[in-house]
Amino acid sequence: MNLRRWAAAASVLLMAGAGTAVAAPASAAPTAGCYGSSCEGKDPNIYCADDATSPVGGVRLGQAYLELRYSPSCRAAWARISNASYGNGQFTPFATVHRNSDGREYTCAVQRGATSCYTRMVNDINVTSYAKGEWDSGAQTYNGRTSSY
């Protein structure tokens, strides 16, 4: 009798586990799949975007918007530029994240037909970083940077 109860319990657990596995989407990104130095150079959209904030506020570069993004669960930072479309004769809009302690930087460029991009991440444990960028309206070139965080 004990063997039957054990077998029934095992069957229930296996079915419950199978149901959970089927319900989870295959493309789900891990939450905080890296931390600090293990995030260095990684794609924030894959690892750390779930709890990202813009802790120091953004900067307008003409119509474009530049932000320093930060994930508290990953302890990593990156730069993002948005609303940065461009036409013929304009320079390619870009954003750069800069770590103050050692000058490490990652840059992204907005691709033709797109309006935004984000950089790879820098480890931000016990250091500060800022975002800098540039957008060209055709009549004027705007550049700027955020405060450090």
Side-chain angles (χ1 to χ4, degrees), residues 13-77:
L13 288 174
L14 286 173
M15 285 189 289
T20 303
V22 172
S27 62
T31 8
C34 63
Y35 183 78
S37 62
S38 72
C39 293
E40 189 73 38
K42 290 187 176 173
D43 183 339
N45 204 37
I46 293 174
Y47 295 96
C48 303
D50 288 349
D51 68 344
T53 63
S54 297
V56 293
V59 174
R60 284 262 168 227
L61 305 175
Q63 77 176 29
Y65 191 64
L66 175 71
E67 300 169 272
L68 177 69
R69 303 290 288 163
Y70 174 76
S71 166
S73 65
C74 292
R75 299 286 303 269

Side-chain angles (χ1 to χ4, degrees), residues 67-103:
E67 300 169 272
L68 177 69
R69 303 290 288 163
Y70 174 76
S71 166
S73 65
C74 292
R75 299 286 303 269
W78 62 95
R80 177 173 70 183
I81 190 169
S82 56
N83 201 33
S85 60
Y86 59 102
N88 295 332
Q90 294 173 277
F91 295 110
T92 302
F94 69 89
T96 301
V97 63
H98 175 94
R99 184 170 50 218
N100 292 318
S101 62
D102 63 0

Side-chain angles (χ1 to χ4, degrees), residues 134-146:
E134 184 172 285
W135 179 74
D136 179 10
S137 71
Q140 181 176 350
T141 301
Y142 298 87
N143 55 55
R145 62 165 275 188
T146 67

